[in-house]
Amino acid sequence: MTNDLQGQEVRKMRNAHLTCGNQVGLELFEFEEPRRTQVPKGEYDGFFHLCLLVDDIEAVANRIEATGGKKTSEMWNTRNGKPYYLQYCEDPFGNILELYNKSTELMYGNKEN
């Protein structure tokens, strides 16, 4: 999924998923190969992406597209045999939006493998 989102040049990365009890999650990314260039102190480089928990991913992705954004991935299932889906989009300004239909702890927590 990372290569679909960030491009094939990403060869090595690490990430961690942190969750709170109220369905809020935080993902930390470290791009190791290639490393991201450092932004000079005091300059804002924006955010990597924002993830939203929505009831109907397809409807929200279609609305983003209809209002000037675009879908940048297919809808992916993160847990085989379970209805846990995500899809990436871009808003009209190029910001990456990730849409989940389940909270972060359900999407990624306690996987058997």
Side-chain angles (χ1 to χ4, degrees), residues 47 60-72 89-97:
F47 58 90
V60 173
N62 288 338
R63 185 166 180 202
I64 289 168
E65 198 169 51
T67 56
K70 64 182 177 181
K71 298 174 190 174
T72 58
C89 298
E90 281 185 13
D91 70 12
F93 306 102
N95 298 306
I96 299 170
L97 303 174

Side-chain angles (χ1 to χ4, degrees), residues 46-64:
F47 58 90
F48 171 36
H49 74 281
L50 181 67
C51 182
L52 304 171
L53 181 60
V54 300
D55 291 326
D56 187 341
I57 292 175
E58 186 175 18
V60 173
N62 288 338
R63 185 166 180 202
I64 289 168

Side-chain angles (χ1 to χ4, degrees), residues 34-89:
R35 289 213 174 269
R36 291 190 70 187
T37 57
Q38 293 294 318
V39 175
K41 189 173 182 174
E43 289 186 27
Y44 180 66
D45 189 31
F47 58 90
F48 171 36
H49 74 281
L50 181 67
C51 182
L52 304 171
L53 181 60
V54 300
D55 291 326
D56 187 341
I57 292 175
E58 186 175 18
V60 173
N62 288 338
R63 185 166 180 202
I64 289 168
E65 198 169 51
T67 56
K70 64 182 177 181
K71 298 174 190 174
T72 58
S73 79
E74 299 296 321
M75 192 177 316
W76 295 323
N77 183 304
T78 64
R79 304 286 292 259
N80 288 334
K82 296 189 178 188
Y84 296 179
Y85 297 99
L86 70 84
Q87 185 165 7
Y88 286 98
C89 298

Side-chain angles (χ1 to χ4, degrees), residues 17-26 103-106:
H17 295 265
L18 310 170
T19 64
C20 299
N22 59 358
Q23 298 184 329
V24 172
L26 177 67
S103 62
T104 299
E105 68 272 8
L106 290 175

